[in-house]
Amino acid sequence: MFKINDNYLKLPGSYLFSTIGKKVAAYSAAHPEKEIIRLGIGDVTQPLAPVIVEALKKAVEEMGVQETFHGYAPDLGYEFLRNAIAENDYRARGCEIAADEIFVSDGAKSDSGNIQEIFSVDNKIAVCDPVYPVYVDSNVMAGRTGTYDPATGTWSDVIYMPCTMENGFSPELPKKRPDLIYLCYPNNPTGASITKDALQEWVNYANREGCVIIYDAAYEAYIAEENVPHSIYECEGARTCAIELHSFSKNAGFTGVRLGYTVVPRDLKCGDVSLHALWARRHGTKYNGAPYIVQRAGEAVYSDEGKRQLKAQVAYYMKNAQVIYEGLKEAGYTVFGGVNAPYIWLKTPGSMTSWEFFDRLLETAGVVGTPGSGFGPSGEGYFRLTAFGTYENTVKAIERIKAL
Ligand code: PLP
């Protein structure tokens, strides 16, 4: 009889989003007249910018003509896109990343889940707590996390780095040495950002201790402050210890189109084995790249007009962030994030748990957010609202919360 990968059986069910779904459905059924506003999910609501639509149309036309038809895309991505990324996301910021160190993919979710495959199953991972769930779940599937304790919501072999109000949602360097460290800045779910000096400390630690940092920069486009780095490669020495993940989802509305990229520098080595070569081998075999049409749309993101239109889109969501942040403050809440990130993280009032607050917000204001405990034990007592709704709904939701 065949056997399954029983690591999959260890995964607890998707408690967070299924519970949210059930609660919202039950409320809607009981109150069909009530309009529900969803500020819980990380999906965007604004349509693709005209410059992206034009690029997609043009590429579709090319695909229908013999001379300009494209079949399989190159394993690592088309040069036109990798060159645009290297120029705009790295060279323009003084980072030494070459086009051939960039691997184009179908998004940061796939890459953040898949990247662990090139590391030994014996490696210990460290994650922020609370955390984007993909990092832990993909390591569970690989058999790297030990046993799950439902009482604490933690895995025995994972090093959790608490991010709380007390440490400004910036974890301390781990006391126990990990092999792989997952960092995400600007952060989902807390909306926290990191200064260049603070990130440099992580890079120094990783180089000193022989760790790899997997740095998720999915929300980089939302950075507004000067001293916040857009890339880990702005830090000295990051080429020998860091992999960086990027997405086109949050800056350009590609959540349904799918495009991202991962940087694995040639200097990142384990002994004399190049991680770049391993990831290239993996990409060549289990390709999760993007079609020609989508890569042309990605190229348009870096055109002058693309930059202008997408800056406006990011500004639209950041205006929502400001509405949420200031509205909640006015209403007396303790609020974090929302400055360099499209997430607002708030302290639940009094001793309310994050699920109690979820129920209260749904039942009294018809607003859906995400309970902080769903992102990890240190998220208990916090709540996430996202800036990705429409402006009108965001304003309406905050008016309702203020009226509570
Ligand atoms: N990384 C983080 C931290 C995220 O929050 C998300 C989506 O919510 C992703 C990656 C997914 O990015 P993509 O849409 O490119 O797969």
Side-chain angles (χ1 to χ4, degrees):
M1 185 61 182
F2 63 85
K3 289 185 180 161
I4 53 159
N5 175 353
D6 56 11
N7 291 317
Y8 278 63
L9 302 181
K10 297 181 191 166
L11 280 168
S14 178
Y15 173 67
L16 178 63
F17 289 102
S18 67
T19 308
I20 290 176
K22 277 185 207 146
K23 280 181 181 261
V24 174
Y27 180 80
S28 286
H31 307 275
E33 75 293 350
K34 289 264 169 71
E35 178 209 29
I36 289 172
I37 301 178
R38 289 179 166 77
L39 297 185
I41 49 159
D43 202 356
V44 294
T45 51
Q46 291 305 291
L48 291 173
V51 71
I52 307 293
V53 174
E54 274 317 303
L56 285 168
K57 280 190 191 161
K58 183 161 172 275
V60 168
E61 289 299 331
E62 282 179 48
M63 292 294 277
V65 174
Q66 179 75 65
E67 289 72 28
T68 50
F69 167 76
H70 286 78
Y72 289 122
D75 287 349
L76 310 189
Y78 283 100
E79 270 191 24
F80 60 78
L81 179 57
R82 297 161 83 203
N83 286 337
I85 293 168
E87 183 53 44
N88 290 279
D89 288 350
Y90 295 105
R91 221 161 295 138
R93 294 186 175 131
C95 302
E96 208 194 312
I97 294 295
D100 68 359
E101 295 176 307
I102 293 160
F103 296 75
V104 174
S105 74
D106 61 347
K109 185 173 192 175
S110 321
D111 281 355
S112 65
N114 293 332
I115 195 73
Q116 48 76 28
E117 289 182 18
I118 62 170
F119 297 97
S120 164
V121 78
D122 299 336
N123 281 346
K124 269 238 155 36
I125 67 160
V127 294
C128 291
D129 168 27
V131 69
Y132 175 55
V134 175
Y135 312 149
V136 175
D137 286 0
S138 53
N139 278 285
V140 173
M141 292 168 178
R144 204 175 274 117
T145 55
T147 50
Y148 184 66
D149 178 356
T152 58
T154 58
W155 294 88
S156 60
D157 291 352
V158 173
I159 299 171
Y160 290 90
M161 307 185 292
C163 300
T164 60
M165 206 160 75
E166 288 69 35
N167 60 19
F169 306 99
S170 286
E172 278 119 48
L173 294 171
K175 292 189 178 56
K176 242 171 48 193
R177 183 197 157 278
D179 298 294
L180 308 178
I181 303 168
Y182 286 84
L183 292 180
C184 171
Y185 288 109
N187 189 263
N188 173 19
T190 66
S193 52
I194 191 166
T195 63
K196 190 170 163 188
D197 288 349
L199 188 57
Q200 184 67 58
E201 281 186 35
W202 284 93
V203 169
N204 296 347
Y205 173 85
N207 275 321
R208 195 168 64 236
E209 299 289 337
C211 319
V212 172
I213 297 174
I214 298 165
Y215 191 76
D216 189 338
Y219 297 96
E220 163 272 319
Y222 289 86
I223 293 170
E225 292 180 327
E226 270 294 306
N227 62 345
V228 177
H230 289 254
S231 162
I232 195 167
Y233 302 113
E234 289 178 43
C235 296
E236 219 170 290
R239 285 184 55 85
T240 53
C241 70
I243 290 172
E244 185 164 280
L245 312 166
H246 274 257
S247 170
F248 287 72
S249 287
K250 317 293 173 158
N251 64 327
F254 279 46
T255 52
V257 177
R258 309 307 301 146
L259 186 65
Y261 70 85
T262 288
V263 177
V264 187
R266 291 190 180 277
D267 299 347
L268 184 53
K269 293 194 172 146
C270 180
D272 55 6
V273 177
S274 151
L275 269 62
H276 182 279
L278 294 189
W279 190 239
R281 187 73 179 83
R282 195 252 175 220
H283 235 54
T285 301
K286 297 199 208 172
Y287 183 59
N288 62 291
Y292 174 75
I293 297 164
V294 171
Q295 294 196 41
R296 279 291 183 204
E299 183 190 29
V301 167
Y302 297 102
S303 65
D304 289 344
E305 189 50 25
K307 285 179 192 164
R308 198 186 61 73
Q309 290 180 13
L310 295 172
K311 199 170 160 195
Q313 207 163 72
V314 166
Y316 175 94
Y317 293 128
M318 285 315 275
K319 195 166 159 204
N320 289 349
Q322 201 182 355
V323 167
I324 301 172
Y325 186 93
E326 284 170 7
L328 291 176
K329 273 223 134 151
E330 235 175 86
Y333 289 92
T334 308
V335 199
F336 308 93
V339 177
N340 296 302
Y343 293 114
I344 283 83
W345 189 242
L346 60 118
K347 187 90 196 71
T348 56
S351 54
M352 243 186 202
T353 66
S354 48
W355 276 111
E356 283 166 355
F357 188 67
F358 174 92
D359 290 338
R360 171 153 180 239
L361 219 55
L362 176 62
E363 284 157 20
T364 57
V367 174
V368 181
T370 316
S373 59
F375 297 100
S378 296
E380 183 52 279
Y382 296 92
F383 198 78
R384 190 190 77 172
L385 292 173
T386 87
F388 287 127
T390 63
Y391 178 70
E392 295 69 26
N393 275 348
T394 304
V395 169
K396 209 190 284 180
I398 296 306
E399 287 309 319
R400 288 188 197 168
I401 295 174
K402 274 160 75 175
L404 289 182

